[in-house]
Amino acid sequence: MPETYWTVRWPDGAEERLYSPSSVVAELFTAGQSYPVPDFLNRARIAMERASNRVERKYGFACSSAMAQLDAIEARAAAIGEAPGAEIACLAISQ
């Protein structure tokens, strides 16, 4: 369950390095691919929930870092709003 980081570019051009306690993000995101904001959020929710569940199965407690990262992603996406055609690009995934 290697820690994984992925770098995204938000619709405003800002780049951000995101964290996951598990490589599950590589199952849901592809480097070089852009995702409409709602699709990105759905994938991020699935990834962070799966990552937290993997931590819980291994260590007996959910991963608060995964949930905090999801909260930050959701807050950033909420600031974008419903901009038509807005996409979030996955630039890189690394362990």
Side-chain angles (χ1 to χ4, degrees):
M1 189 169 33
E3 290 184 326
T4 302
Y5 295 89
W6 80 107
T7 304
V8 299
R9 182 182 309 116
W10 296 95
D12 65 3
E15 293 183 9
E16 184 175 3
R17 186 175 184 222
L18 305 176
Y19 168 80
S20 172
S22 167
S23 60
V24 69
V25 295
E27 298 170 13
L28 293 154
F29 293 98
T30 302
Q33 179 73 39
S34 293
Y35 302 89
V37 174
D39 184 32
F40 182 90
L41 279 174
N42 185 54
R43 290 168 185 264
R45 287 179 185 124
I46 292 167
M48 294 298 97
E49 287 170 8
R50 285 184 187 170
S52 182
N53 289 341
R54 287 181 181 183
V55 169
E56 186 170 19
R57 281 193 303 274
K58 186 169 183 173
Y59 298 106
F61 53 87
C63 181
S64 60
S65 294
M67 295 297 94
Q69 181 64 83
L70 179 57
D71 288 345
I73 290 169
E74 289 179 334
R76 182 75 189 253
I80 296 167
E82 298 285 326
E87 293 188 332
I88 302 169
C90 178
L91 302 177
I93 300 172
S94 61
Q95 295 179 351

